Amino acid sequence: MGAQVNIDVRTKGYKVKTYFKTVTLLKLICLFVITTCTSVAASDTSNQQKYPNQYQSWQATSEQVEREDMLANYPASIILWAGSSYAKEYHSPRGHHFAVADVTHTLRTGTPPKAGENGLSASCWTCKTPDAPRLIEQLGFEGYSAKNFTDLGKEIQSVVYCSDCHESGTHKLALPRPHAQDAMAKIHLPFDKQDINMQGAQVCGQCHVTYYFRPEKSNVVNIPWIFGNTADDIEKYYDTRRFFEWIHPLSKTPILKARHPEFEHWSRSKHAEVGVTCITCHMPTQQDAKGVEFTSHKVDKALPHFDSSCSGCHSSKTKIETKLAANKLTIETKAREVEALLVKAHYEAKAAWDAGAKWENMNEPIIAIRHSQWRWDFAMSSHGLYAHNPQEGKQLLDKAIEQANEARHLLAGILKQLNVTQVSYPDISTKEKAHQAIGLVETDLIKEKQKFIQNDVKKHWQPVSQYGY
């Protein structure tokens, strides 16, 4: 079936059947009065005047400029993602104001395709801008996704904005993206049948969710929830339809890629069980200078707003910080172990292929690599897993360690049969060395990208594509 969204909650000795229980009446009321702007244009003065607090807090996402080079922090991931665009550049996210510019400038989206090449699907715009639903309506879902990413660059005028979450002209929550509507239909929980808590989480979850592009349907965005939304269920779906994102150039493993599955992890968390949603923690209720309450649209970390976001359930900020730090350390330690094992497994598989290994012998270790890397990715691509669902994160990584060890054990037997006594593992202690190991020249990619930015983006695209650069 689908994701388990119905939760039984026991309170005061009786059972309440609901999607999610509200923590306090105040938080329920706050969800009902979420208000925001409604236009996509930068000159949208009517809603700036109508909802000044919401608009100003949304503007404050432009202050969230910090980001980290995740490939530099964890160069082993370059080996794991070899053969994909993720090995080229991968930064931590920053404020919503940078959504369009960051996807425009990243090396992952490349440059316009050469004659005869397909290039990158326009589906990569889907969660970056409210222009995406507009273009989907104009072109049709498949007509839109069949376009190249750079083909629609001139059409992108605004970043994540009011109509991404609300019906135009109202504070009523909306779910404008077809892939999210389809996903909820698959699990028989359409948006208009959800309670207000679930709707609030689902609005965020239309984008903060894992997905893939359906190659047989012009690369439309699809959420793989046919069997459910756990890592096991999604893996079953992918394995059943023999789907893969790319073939790893070293090990020949058909790789799966997770993409920020925050909604999936949250939906099985203790927070979800008691009705604490993305909005509760990341869009807390605030007061303006006149004492008027409003929901902050500066989507931000929760702890800086402990009193409004957390104190209803937690008595000590220090205790939460200590627990989060411990969870993060445990998850990071396990993740580094998985990465080290998988790097070796990829190179050991390469050594086996080079020595003449056959598919009938390699299938089992290759699948073990695929499944291990999928669980590592499903954990580590989820922003804030150590806070959202640390228990599931630890379980995923423990299973990934087990599967990676199994792959290496099987490969050791194959290598022995092939009389391979030594495997060469490269130095990947830095981003530069890891890039060198897979033959990727970052300076060439940057040069090509900057030429495209200068000749096309700066001349013909909207100013939003340059924000922050």
Side-chain angles (χ1 to χ4, degrees):
M1 190 63 153
Q4 296 300 308
V5 290
N6 287 338
I7 295 174
D8 293 333
V9 181
R10 295 184 182 275
T11 55
K12 297 183 180 179
Y14 62 90
K15 189 176 185 180
V16 181
K17 184 75 172 179
T18 181
Y19 296 132
F20 294 102
K21 185 183 72 174
T22 330
V23 180
T24 63
L25 180 60
L26 175 60
K27 289 195 177 293
L28 178 59
I29 294 172
C30 290
L31 286 173
F32 273 113
V33 297
I34 293 173
T35 54
T36 187
C37 328
T38 55
S39 173
V40 202
S43 58
D44 174 25
T45 56
S46 62
N47 286 292
Q48 294 175 29
Q49 296 169 357
K50 190 175 182 180
Y51 307 118
N53 291 324
Q54 289 79 6
Y55 182 82
Q56 289 169 13
S57 61
W58 169 80
Q59 283 276 33
T61 65
S62 64
E63 300 168 5
Q64 299 164 331
V65 297
E66 299 85 2
R67 63 176 184 166
E68 295 181 67
D69 185 338
M70 304 305 285
L71 298 183
N73 290 349
Y74 311 111
S77 59
I78 292 172
I79 305 301
L80 273 54
W81 290 330
S84 81
S85 60
Y86 283 86
K88 299 176 182 177
E89 180 178 352
Y90 186 66
H91 281 83
S92 61
R94 51 181 177 167
H96 278 162
H97 253 76
F98 303 96
V100 170
D102 282 349
V103 76
T104 298
H105 286 254
T106 179
L107 297 177
R108 294 214 308 272
T109 53
T111 58
K114 298 177 175 63
E117 295 180 350
N118 292 326
L120 189 68
S121 170
S123 288
C124 288
W125 287 117
T126 303
C127 280
K128 306 301 182 182
T129 171
D131 291 301
R134 170 180 64 82
L135 291 167
I136 291 172
E137 185 175 352
Q138 291 176 7
L139 301 170
F141 199 8
E142 287 191 58
Y144 160 82
S145 62
K147 293 281 189 181
N148 187 265
F149 174 80
T150 54
D151 290 341
L152 297 184
K154 299 175 186 177
E155 296 284 341
I156 307 304
Q157 304 168 19
S158 181
V159 294
V160 178
Y161 200 56
C162 315
S163 60
D164 284 312
C165 306
H166 299 274
E167 291 187 7
S168 181
T170 77
H171 66 267
K172 187 176 180 180
L173 294 172
L175 196 72
R177 285 166 174 76
H179 69 267
Q181 298 165 8
D182 291 347
M184 300 319 290
K186 289 172 188 174
I187 64 172
H188 308 292
L189 188 61
F191 189 70
D192 61 357
K193 301 299 182 182
Q194 298 170 10
D195 72 0
I196 191 65
N197 262 7
M198 184 61 182
Q199 283 187 336
Q202 181 69 88
V203 164
C204 301
Q206 66 182 314
C207 290
H208 289 267
V209 66
T210 201
Y211 63 90
Y212 73 104
F213 296 165
R214 291 185 66 181
E216 75 280 10
K217 292 202 70 174
S218 305
N219 287 320
V220 297
V221 180
N222 192 45
I223 297 177
W225 287 357
I226 292 295
F227 300 120
N229 74 1
T230 67
D232 288 352
D233 290 334
I234 297 173
E235 177 186 82
K236 178 182 175 181
Y237 170 76
Y238 284 145
D239 285 356
T240 299
R241 71 191 307 266
R242 301 180 182 227
F243 174 81
F244 59 90
E245 300 257 1
W246 76 92
I247 299 295
H248 198 282
L250 298 173
S251 65
K252 298 186 181 180
T253 301
I255 296 292
L256 299 173
K257 182 74 186 75
R259 294 172 175 86
H260 43 70
E262 287 89 38
F263 181 84
E264 290 94 327
H265 288 306
W266 165 82
S267 69
R268 291 180 290 277
S269 69
K270 292 180 180 179
H271 281 143
E273 289 179 5
V274 296
V276 174
T277 72
C278 326
I279 293 171
T280 313
C281 297
H282 300 289
M283 299 177 66
T285 301
Q286 296 184 347
Q287 288 187 349
D288 65 13
K290 298 179 181 179
V292 177
E293 288 192 341
F294 67 98
T295 302
S296 172
H297 282 59
K298 182 183 179 181
V299 183
D300 204 353
K301 295 179 181 178
L303 280 182
H305 307 282
F306 175 85
D307 290 340
S308 54
S309 295
C310 312
S311 61
C313 300
H314 300 277
S315 59
S316 170
K317 183 178 179 181
T318 301
K319 286 183 179 180
I320 293 181
E321 290 174 332
T322 300
K323 187 173 183 179
L324 288 175
N327 286 336
K328 187 173 184 179
L329 178 61
T330 299
I331 287 173
E332 293 286 343
T333 300
K334 290 178 183 293
R336 302 294 85 78
E337 183 177 354
V338 179
E339 291 160 13
L341 290 169
L342 284 174
V343 167
K344 289 184 177 180
H346 280 298
Y347 276 97
E348 287 158 0
K350 180 183 184 302
W353 289 119
D354 291 345
K358 305 299 181 183
W359 268 110
E360 55 263 31
N361 298 322
M362 292 292 287
N363 184 67
E364 197 172 350
I366 289 302
I367 292 302
I369 292 174
R370 168 183 167 93
H371 290 170
S372 175
Q373 186 158 324
W374 162 247
R375 282 167 180 76
W376 164 81
D377 215 338
F378 198 78
M380 302 315 293
S381 291
S382 183
H383 309 307
L385 177 62
Y386 63 93
H388 296 153
N389 197 334
Q391 182 178 3
E392 182 168 320
K394 294 169 189 176
Q395 291 171 348
L396 284 167
L397 294 169
D398 283 341
K399 185 64 176 179
I401 291 170
E402 178 186 325
Q403 291 170 321
N405 277 320
E406 176 65 12
R408 294 195 66 206
H409 172 72
L410 293 168
L411 287 167
I414 295 170
L415 290 169
K416 184 176 181 180
Q417 291 176 358
L418 295 170
N419 297 316
V420 177
T421 58
Q422 187 173 358
V423 176
S424 177
Y425 307 108
D427 179 0
I428 56 166
S429 58
T430 67
K431 172 182 170 180
E432 293 73 24
K433 290 178 179 179
H435 273 158
Q436 184 178 7
I438 63 170
L440 189 150
V441 184
E442 185 184 34
T443 53
D444 290 348
L445 295 176
I446 293 173
K447 183 178 179 180
E448 185 179 16
K449 186 75 177 190
Q450 287 304 312
K451 182 179 178 181
F452 164 63
I453 296 294
Q454 293 296 328
N455 295 340
D456 291 73
V457 175
K458 287 188 175 181
K459 292 181 180 178
H460 306 298
W461 292 26
Q462 299 292 328
V464 67
S465 67
Q466 292 295 308
Y467 192 84
Y469 286 85

